[in-house]
Amino acid sequence: MSVLGRAPAAEAPQSAPACAHCGAPVPPGAGRFCCAGCEGAHHLVQGLGLEAFYRKRAMAAGTLRPVEAPPADFAAHALEEKPGLHRLELVVSGLTCGACVWLVEQALHAEPDVRRARANLSTRRLTLAWEGPAARANDFAALIARLGFRVAPFSPACLRASDDAEGRELLRALGIAAFGAMNVMLVSVPVWAGIDMGEQTRHLMHWLAALIGMPTVLVAGMPLYRGAWRGLRAGRLNMDSAVSLGVLATTAMSFSETLRNGEYTWFDGATALLALMLAGRLLDRAARRRARQSVAELLALQEGQVQVLGAPAPVPVERVAPGARILVAAGERLRLDAVLESEEALLDTAATTGESLPRRFSRGEALAAGGVNMGAPFVARVTARAAEGSLAAMGRLIERAEQARGRFPALADRAARIYVPIAHAIALLTFLGWWFLGGLPWQAALVPAVAALIITCPCGLAIAVPSVQVVTSGALFRRGVLVASATALERLASADHVVLDKTGTLTEGRPRLLPGDWTEEDLRAAASLARASRHPLAQALLRACPDAPLAEGAVETPGQGLALGEARLGAAGFCGLPPDPRGMSLHFTRPGHPPVVFRFEDSLREDAAAAVAAFRAAGLGVELLSGDAPEVVERVAAEVGIAAWEGGASPARKAARIAELAAQGRRVLMVGDGVNDAAALACAHVSAAPASGMDVAQAASDFVLQGGGLLPLAEAVERARRAQRVAAQNIGFSFLYNIVAVPVAIAGYATPLIAALVMASSSLAVIGNALRLEGGGRR
Amino acid sequence: MDILVWLIPAALALGLIGLAAFLYALRSGQFEDLDGAAARILFDDETPRKKDPR
């Protein structure tokens, strides 16, 4: 790249004062970068000659700010493919556009020993292969982290979540079915049109159709036959069994017609039906794939490793034995149940109990997994291995509740349960009628019977619901609501009561500076000190005064505070003041000024009140249920306008309250983010969790709210109801088609042409109806 | 009607070639990342690529 070409490229995004690397706003006069990390990243990109990235990327400002690399050991995750050739699978968070993919791949390819680097934009997955020792894995991970992306090893759990073997099989089956359908059509259309076709030619055509159609039906139908078989073994008739029976009976009848050189064969109908079914199934999956992948990404990022004292490298959580002594760094999440061994620890237990204020623990107290260390690093002794700890117990509770919920019958299945036996009975009666009463030979009697079967085959019915789901999930996805489970929309549509958690759901879950007895100048001086720290309160202070310059030379004492010369910012004791019992606060002392105190609280989400109003407008009862202190809960409830609230609720109490409501016949939508909500989320009729919440909470939820906004969820209720109405209309549509077409089939007038017309037009009508949902959403 | 002897096998053969290409593409992972593939085309390989062992 020429020198001439380089300068404007790097300068280009600088029209407003924005960081040259991540694009976040930069305080005037602070240079081209918002932080040292971005400066390093920019030099790295420039050194590799990859500045084209800055011209071509399309991403939100600030997402690329490098953070410290997680203390994970990537070498343990490297697989040896061949002697000397290692492979590593990573999740790369922040990979949002084609330019990012390019940057990551090119940067890795610039390393001399990298043989293969391929990033997948849809799954955020990077596959990396290199020649040399496994330990190089850490260098590569650090390189990507320096560019500003967050990396995590791909654990088996998230591999399972993102691996889409079933989707691939469906796609393959669809390809085969589409090929079969089109080629059978090639030989079948001449037979329908059949103007001057001799008997012999027709027979040839039949055989050709059978030759293409039968293998197609056999191979491409496998996913459906398996579903039907599963249903049969569970003693249920489902959509799959109806389709399978229809397709197989049609194929068998057509083969018999081929043998006796009948007038028509129906292979084209069977294969086209199969292709349509598979397409519907595939669309349905694709609608939820993005949600599953986002969840998998979150899982990978939260997948933890812990510092075990005496171990040379961090150890994966699941391998830590009880009795091990672990070191929990400042800002790190405690991932195992443990007993505190250090003198004192300050833990933010918002995720486990819902308390908004960090709690102080002293030596010998039991700590529950899930808390975040807000103070100095501490040592604790593990009391239970991960699989037996409190987090895992919660996971089992969720699983049990999920199984119960998994039995919620989907609308389409409910329709199929009524519809399938009727359709089969009609076909059977048609056959018997023509055979005994009509006096036809049994092969001939089979034709109208199977024609009735294929026309009643719930083709429109099978597409009726998936098409609605696809359109609605797509619209919700664009608003940041991820639909994670198959019947989530149906259940959301029927919800009539919403129970909200406070911390992290109604509130941001992060502290905000309260007005107090300090001047702008105090704030500015304190914020420039705070710029040197990653402590949550320091960050909150900085958010209140974002353009404070960095104070050079500030020294942080982890968990205590920051010092620069005589100036001190931090805990009361650290600043030489008497202890301060009141919640989240930072003290600030400097020579020549009176000491000041900055107080913080967990602020409400911007859209909290609007969301509560929207829930109410949708006819849902609203209730606040929190583990936090009653007076805090009362204040928040008053602020957003919720009359029914309850504070100090334990996880068990939350779940019990949900059960209580369910016993009153209410269908509860539970929204929560913490470990303490997981049980309630799982036993609610339908549930949602913000993407910033705990992984257990998301695993228990039907919806994941990206960006954490509640208002989109409130709107989703209305949208889900509309989707339900359209789905019901669609099912009605398909019934109507059948009521018209079935008598024709029974009477023996149906030809493959009529069957094809009915099938195609009913599917199109249903899809067209579903697309109305998309238009309606842009009000 | 003799023409059918040629036309039908030719049509089927073309269809089969398409199917084979689809199955090959599926197996070699070309359907794994449709979003990425759409974006990738916009970038040149500015650094010389090393030989891919695959």
Side-chain angles (χ1 to χ4, degrees), chain A residues 1 48-50 52-53 56 97-99 101-102 105-106 108-123 168 171-172 175-176 179 183 186-187 196-197 201 204-205 208 212, chain B residues 1 4-5 7-20 22-23 26-27 29-40 42-54:
Chain A
M1 183 173 268
L48 292 167
L50 298 175
F53 166 71
K56 294 179 178 171
C97 63
V101 169
W102 179 81
E105 287 182 359
Q106 295 297 322
L108 287 167
H109 268 291
E111 297 281 317
D113 48 353
V114 170
R115 297 297 293 271
R116 194 166 75 223
R118 184 110 182 147
N120 184 323
L121 183 57
S122 349
T123 56
R168 266 200 302 280
L171 187 59
R172 182 173 144 259
I176 294 172
F179 160 81
N183 284 284
L186 180 84
V187 291
D196 61 346
M197 189 178 283
T201 317
L204 171 75
M205 291 298 191
L208 276 172
I212 309 164
Chain B
M1 287 293 169
L4 287 182
V5 177
L7 276 183
I8 290 176
L12 284 182
L14 286 175
L16 277 174
I17 291 173
L19 182 65
F22 169 73
L23 291 178
L26 189 65
R27 193 155 302 161
Q30 296 181 36
F31 283 88
E32 300 285 299
D33 183 20
L34 297 175
D35 302 339
R40 237 171 247 282
L42 301 174
F43 287 91
D44 318 322
D45 296 339
E46 287 187 17
T47 49
R49 286 246 175 190
K50 283 162 298 192
K51 264 197 203 132
D52 196 325
R54 258 195 313 186

Side-chain angles (χ1 to χ4, degrees), chain A residues 83-294:
Chain A
L85 188 72
H86 284 89
R87 186 164 57 91
L88 180 66
E89 307 262 340
L90 291 174
V91 176
V92 184
S93 181
L95 206 62
T96 50
C97 63
C100 309
V101 169
W102 179 81
L103 178 67
V104 167
E105 287 182 359
Q106 295 297 322
L108 287 167
H109 268 291
E111 297 281 317
D113 48 353
V114 170
R115 297 297 293 271
R116 194 166 75 223
R118 184 110 182 147
N120 184 323
L121 183 57
S122 349
T123 56
R124 315 259 190 270
R125 182 169 164 181
L126 173 72
T127 310
L128 183 63
W130 69 95
E131 276 171 356
R136 284 282 284 157
N138 289 324
D139 303 339
F140 298 135
L143 173 70
I144 304 167
R146 266 165 61 210
L147 289 172
F149 300 94
R150 287 178 71 194
V151 279
F154 229 108
S155 74
C158 53
L159 256 178
R160 262 199 308 282
S162 75
D163 190 42
D164 199 13
E166 204 180 326
R168 266 200 302 280
E169 200 207 331
L170 277 176
L171 187 59
R172 182 173 144 259
L174 175 62
I176 294 172
F179 160 81
M182 285 188 280
N183 284 284
V184 171
M185 208 72 84
L186 180 84
V187 291
S188 290
V189 171
V191 178
W192 304 346
I195 300 161
D196 61 346
M197 189 178 283
E199 292 260 318
Q200 302 250 293
T201 317
R202 194 179 71 194
H203 207 177
L204 171 75
M205 291 298 191
H206 283 351
W207 271 109
L208 276 172
L211 219 60
I212 309 164
M214 297 216 297
T216 304
V217 166
L218 218 61
V219 176
M222 279 327 263
L224 296 179
Y225 307 150
R226 263 203 299 275
W229 179 239
R230 267 198 304 271
L232 277 183
R233 269 206 313 207
R236 278 200 307 261
L237 282 178
N238 54 17
M239 206 66 99
D240 281 343
S241 50
V243 175
S244 300
L245 184 69
V247 168
L248 289 175
T250 312
T251 310
M253 176 268 269
S254 302
F255 188 56
S256 123
E257 288 295 286
T258 306
L259 288 176
R260 56 181 213 116
N261 194 8
E263 202 173 345
Y264 296 117
T265 60
W266 300 63
F267 290 114
D268 56 320
T271 46
L273 182 65
L274 210 51
L276 266 172
M277 289 293 132
L278 290 167
R281 196 62 58 86
L282 199 63
L283 282 176
D284 199 28
R285 271 190 84 77
R288 284 193 304 278
R289 199 186 57 211
R290 280 183 294 205
R292 278 207 324 276
Q293 277 165 355
S294 310

Side-chain angles (χ1 to χ4, degrees), chain A residues 584-648:
Chain A
M584 290 190 280
S585 53
L586 277 181
H587 294 262
F588 184 47
T589 52
R590 45 188 177 149
H593 294 268
V596 288
V597 53
F598 298 102
R599 298 201 183 277
F600 301 85
E601 68 156 16
D602 189 7
S603 60
L604 275 180
R605 284 186 195 277
E606 271 175 23
D607 58 358
V612 168
F615 276 126
R616 244 191 225 118
L620 275 73
V622 184
E623 185 172 328
L624 182 60
L625 191 57
S626 172
D628 207 353
E631 50 287 0
V632 186
V633 181
E634 183 175 13
R635 191 162 44 89
V636 170
E639 221 170 306
V640 295
I642 298 176
W645 59 268
E646 186 179 327

